[in-house]
Amino acid sequence: MIKNDYDVIVCGSGPAGLSAAFAAAELGARVALLEKQRELGGKIPYSGNGRCNFSNVLDDVPFMNSFGRAGRFMTDALRCGGRDWFCEHLRSHDVPVTVTDGFHYFPESGKAWDVVDSFLLPLQRAGADFRTDTVVSAVCRTPDGAACGVRLASGEELYAKCVILACGGTAMSAVGGTAQGLRIAQQLGHRIIDPLPAMAPLYLEEEWLRELSGVSLKNVQLQFVSGRNHGKTNGEMLFTYDGISGPAALSLSNEAYRIWLEHPDRFDLKLNFDTRVDWQRQIDTFRKQDGNKFLRSSLSSFLPKSLAHAVCKQLGWEERKNQTLKDTERDTLVRLLTACPLTISQLCPMERAMAMSGGVTWKEIRPETMESRLVPGVYFAGEIMDLTGPCGGYNIQFAVASGRLAGLSAANSLRS
Ligand SMILES: Cc1cc2nc3c(=O)[nH]c(=O)nc-3n(C[C@H](O)[C@H](O)[C@H](O)COP(=O)(O)OP(=O)(O)OC[C@H]3O[C@@H](n4cnc5c(N)ncnc54)[C@H](O)[C@@H]3O)c2cc1C
């Protein structure tokens, strides 16, 4: 018989792994937290520009819907480790929280490390074992196929009845992204949905937008249609030297890149520069009240000057005055301002993506426990699974909630 070193081994120390280890230790399990990097915390220290936007104000249903059709998978996870639990956990570990803009939750200190410490310090006190610079390469199995521990890249084996895979995704290897967790899951027989960049800038072909690099807009709408697939985001956006970034673009990328790859020729992407403006009425007002003014300078009262100029230049109307615009030309301008056609030029490299879409298919994971349907004793948590949310605290909240459910389920399975 195998002698167990631990009850629960958690692979990866991001929000999913920390929350899983914390939950298992809460139920008295002997826990080991294994991390391939020198420091614990996964991507938390880098999140939200070092401030960690860890959740948001949405209720569970709209929160889940933001992950697409598969979102309902997280119903049980949110029930045990959703926003209310997470906020209470932070407060009770001396990390007051704040909602900065009516939507995004942050630690009041503005320090992402406080979120890491809220898990680590109690884990330390509970006697959990931490091992950094430790790469897990495989899950060990008993002759009847159940998990019984992990094999490390060093060749050493550690034994436990439950193994939680919380290895994150492949985005941004500079801050810990890796495919190692996916490879381990694949060795166990799990199906992996191809990893693609998510929360990533959109690379565009439009040369005329390049000169706007650094210009930001507050109220855009981005929209794509491709056959029966469509997606839409609203909010802030930033022009970059090779495309667009900012929350509206990053959030759209989760779905947009996958669908664009399927049919690049049928992918129709459009940008509305400012959804608050009724452009047709506004341009008519320019024509009536400011007829002698240059169109570019009238547009500048609603758009950043460089964008107003770029739009006029794109139409060859740099020197046009408002009163010279015919109705058909007004309509052309309105179309450009409300449905500016954009063309994706290439896939964003994983290095620049903040998250991964794809991963271990949720169809092979039990939503009520996070346990693998294929290998008893193996649990999944966080971004390693094929569930990715947009910008705005969704992904860390889901990682923590799924980690908590996995940790509690693993520890409970040992009791029974
Ligand atoms: C720059 C940046 C900013 C972000 N900002 C936000 C934000 O403000 N709000 C938000 O909700 N989301 C944000 N995200 C996304 C969010 O950080 C991730 O979705 C989240 O951290 C995923 O949690 P996780 O625990 O599943 O994975 P991770 O945080 O990636 O942690 C996984 C850990 O597992 C370790 N690991 C992997 N393989 C092995 C192995 N074989 N053996 C041992 N250890 C292993 C990794 O080193 C890593 O430490 C941001 C991401 C980035 C990159």
Side-chain angles (χ1 to χ4, degrees):
M1 201 176 83
I2 295 169
K3 185 182 167 303
N4 284 322
D5 301 303
Y6 302 99
D7 296 322
V8 179
I9 293 176
V10 181
C11 309
S13 70
L18 285 173
S19 172
F22 178 86
E26 221 177 29
L27 295 187
R30 291 170 306 149
V31 175
L33 183 60
L34 311 182
E35 170 55 56
K36 79 176 173 67
Q37 303 203 89
R38 189 142 298 161
E39 280 192 297
L40 299 166
K43 289 177 183 154
I44 295 178
Y46 310 94
S47 65
N49 287 324
R51 293 166 57 225
C52 186
N53 167 211
F54 66 83
S55 191
N56 61 53
V57 300
L58 288 187
D59 289 337
D60 287 357
V61 171
F63 182 94
M64 291 188 283
N65 289 345
S66 307
F67 286 70
R69 259 170 277 160
R72 293 298 167 113
F73 172 85
M74 61 184 74
T75 306
D76 292 322
L78 290 179
R79 208 169 280 150
C80 84
R83 182 195 57 239
D84 292 347
W85 177 84
F86 197 4
C87 287
E88 189 44 41
H89 161 84
L90 289 167
R91 285 192 202 103
S92 65
H93 290 89
D94 302 320
V95 183
V97 303
T98 179
V99 184
T100 49
D101 52 2
F103 190 79
H104 301 88
Y105 273 88
F106 289 91
E108 206 172 85
S109 62
K111 292 186 188 143
W113 278 108
D114 286 353
V115 177
V116 178
D117 286 344
S118 76
F119 291 107
L120 273 189
L121 301 179
L123 271 169
Q124 233 159 15
R125 283 195 293 273
D129 230 349
F130 303 142
R131 288 213 199 179
T132 52
D133 292 314
T134 301
V135 178
V136 176
S137 59
V139 170
C140 306
R141 299 170 76 175
T142 60
D144 60 4
C148 64
V150 296
R151 187 169 313 114
L152 306 182
S154 62
E156 187 186 354
E157 292 188 347
L158 299 173
Y159 296 106
K161 275 196 171 162
C162 298
V163 175
I164 300 177
L165 293 175
C167 303
T170 56
M172 270 195 202
S173 59
V175 298
T178 169
Q180 282 165 342
L182 300 180
R183 280 200 289 272
I184 297 170
Q186 203 164 27
Q187 286 162 15
L188 296 173
H190 277 279
R191 191 163 79 88
I192 310 297
I193 309 297
D194 282 347
L196 285 178
M199 294 202 345
L202 293 173
Y203 281 55
L204 299 178
E205 278 179 13
E206 281 69 25
E207 286 286 338
W208 69 280
L209 296 175
R210 301 220 192 292
E211 65 194 61
L212 298 171
S213 178
V215 173
S216 61
L217 299 173
K218 282 217 171 323
N219 297 289
V220 305
Q221 182 173 79
L222 279 163
Q223 199 165 7
F224 73 79
V225 179
S226 176
R228 276 188 293 157
N229 296 304
H230 50 90
K232 187 162 59 174
T233 54
N234 288 284
E236 292 179 39
M237 196 204 81
L238 172 74
F239 291 100
T240 65
Y241 61 94
D242 46 18
I244 50 176
S245 187
L250 297 173
S251 295
L252 197 81
S253 73
N254 291 13
E255 265 194 289
Y257 275 130
R258 193 170 294 277
I259 290 166
W260 170 73
L261 273 180
E262 282 168 15
H263 295 288
D265 46 326
R266 275 211 270 133
F267 190 85
D268 195 13
L269 177 63
K270 298 248 166 12
L271 165 65
N272 182 334
F273 289 104
D274 194 331
T275 52
R276 294 167 311 173
V277 185
D278 178 343
W279 286 109
Q280 176 156 345
R281 244 186 50 205
Q282 199 52 56
I283 295 163
D284 283 343
T285 310
F286 294 159
R287 293 199 297 178
K288 268 194 225 124
Q289 294 177 5
D290 290 318
N292 215 19
K293 224 171 153 182
F294 284 111
L295 175 63
R296 57 180 146 78
S297 75
S298 294
L299 287 177
S300 299
S301 35
F302 291 87
L303 297 171
K305 193 171 165 191
S306 51
L307 175 57
H309 284 222
V311 164
C312 290
K313 192 167 156 200
Q314 177 64 6
L315 294 168
W317 296 352
E318 290 118 303
E319 300 307 321
R320 290 287 294 271
K321 294 202 167 162
N322 293 328
Q323 65 199 10
T324 69
L325 284 195
K326 299 190 195 88
D327 282 357
T328 51
E329 290 173 321
R330 175 205 57 199
D331 295 345
T332 304
L333 178 58
V334 170
R335 263 198 307 280
L336 185 59
L337 292 168
T338 57
C340 173
L342 302 176
T343 323
I344 293 186
S345 58
Q346 63 173 91
L347 204 55
C348 169
M350 271 306 207
E351 278 316 309
R352 279 191 72 197
M354 290 201 282
M356 166 187 85
S357 77
V360 180
T361 177
W362 51 269
K363 292 180 183 161
E364 295 170 353
I365 300 167
R366 296 179 199 283
E368 65 281 10
T369 55
M370 296 290 143
E371 190 175 16
S372 161
R373 291 187 194 273
L374 311 186
V375 184
V378 167
Y379 296 77
F380 292 96
E383 200 180 309
I384 191 171
M385 292 185 278
D386 177 27
L387 283 155
T388 315
C391 274
Y394 295 87
N395 291 303
I396 289 181
Q397 173 62 79
F398 169 60
V400 163
S402 55
R404 179 157 183 78
L405 182 55
L408 293 176
S409 310
N412 271 325
S413 76
L414 299 166
R415 287 171 161 186
S416 57

